[in-house]
Amino acid sequence: KIIADVRADKDVKAVVLRVNSPGGSVLASEKIKAELDLLRENVPVIASYGDYAASGGYWISAKSEKIFADNTTLTGSIGVFSMSMNYGKGLKQHLHVNTANIGSNAHSTMMNGVDPLDATEVAFMQGMVEDIYTKFTALVSEGRDLPVEYVDEVGQGRVWTGADAFRNKLVDEIGGLTDAIQYAAACADLTDYRI
């Protein structure tokens, strides 16, 4: 909603997106990125990285016109993981609680947390993770104007310092928030502005 409100404000001529996040869910990241994509249609969006710009933080900002990071900013984490909790054995052994599953098919209770995943379910989850990773590398490739193969090579879930991310072309400049604001003002051709 905040990004949509900024997009509706005709007085806004450029946006500096301050990213300070170790990541988050794909759904939340994609929702934020979708709003930022709409915002980019109207004004330049420049990213300024704080301590972290990893995973979901990198997802939402990879398409920024320019990315500024400090030398020590933890950057990247272009990777995806998923978890399936399983506490069924503990329930039975320690609390003597038994469960019975009733479902419409063999996989109805997948991810119920009580039963371990079978080989088919593990393969399904692995396929979902790989699909999301492919989407992640594609959006970074497009946003940073890099070949997908290169993004995959420097990705793989690794986290880089800002200095290494600069060498790996994941950020455009080493600099702080003030540098990003000055660049945003120049993009909007402004000399007299307020933040």
Side-chain angles (χ1 to χ4, degrees):
K1 183 180 181 327
I2 293 169
I3 299 167
D5 290 346
V6 168
R7 183 167 35 98
D9 187 341
K10 300 304 177 202
D11 290 332
V12 174
K13 304 301 180 198
V15 170
V16 174
L17 175 68
R18 182 67 169 174
V19 179
N20 196 25
S21 171
S25 79
V26 174
L27 178 61
S29 300
E30 185 57 25
K31 283 182 171 185
I32 294 168
K33 187 192 81 59
E35 279 298 328
L36 288 168
D37 287 345
L38 293 172
L39 179 61
R40 280 186 200 91
E41 293 174 8
N42 300 328
V43 298
V45 176
I46 289 79
S48 168
Y49 290 170
D51 294 333
Y52 303 93
S55 193
Y58 196 76
W59 183 297
I60 67 172
S61 58
K63 289 189 171 184
S64 297
E65 181 168 320
K66 193 164 201 134
I67 298 175
F68 290 82
D70 292 323
N71 278 314
T72 58
T73 300
L74 296 180
T75 308
S77 190
I78 302 166
V80 181
F81 74 94
S82 183
M83 294 188 312
S84 174
M85 299 297 291
N86 184 314
Y87 49 85
K89 189 175 179 181
L91 282 176
K92 187 170 186 166
Q93 284 182 347
H94 301 290
L95 300 176
H96 308 291
V97 174
N98 294 307
T99 61
N101 296 321
I102 301 168
S104 59
N105 65 63
H107 305 291
S108 292
T109 58
M110 179 178 160
M111 306 290 287
N112 68 0
V114 177
D115 300 307
L117 299 178
D118 66 24
T120 302
E121 293 164 342
V122 169
F124 176 78
M125 294 294 294
Q126 184 64 45
M128 283 181 20
V129 166
E130 289 173 11
D131 286 347
I132 295 167
Y133 181 71
T134 298
K135 183 172 185 171
F136 199 171
T137 55
L139 80 86
V140 172
S141 169
E142 182 183 339
R144 301 289 86 216
D145 195 26
L146 297 167
V148 172
E149 297 78 16
Y150 177 80
V151 174
D152 178 46
E153 185 181 312
V154 299
Q156 299 293 319
R158 287 189 288 267
V159 179
W160 304 97
T161 64
D164 287 335
F166 175 72
R167 282 190 285 279
N168 289 325
K169 303 176 186 171
L170 298 178
V171 303
D172 300 302
E173 279 196 36
I174 298 300
L177 182 57
T178 301
D179 299 308
I181 291 169
Q182 290 171 349
Y183 182 81
C187 285
D189 199 26
L190 298 172
T191 52
D192 183 25
Y193 59 90
R194 63 185 171 81
I195 300 170

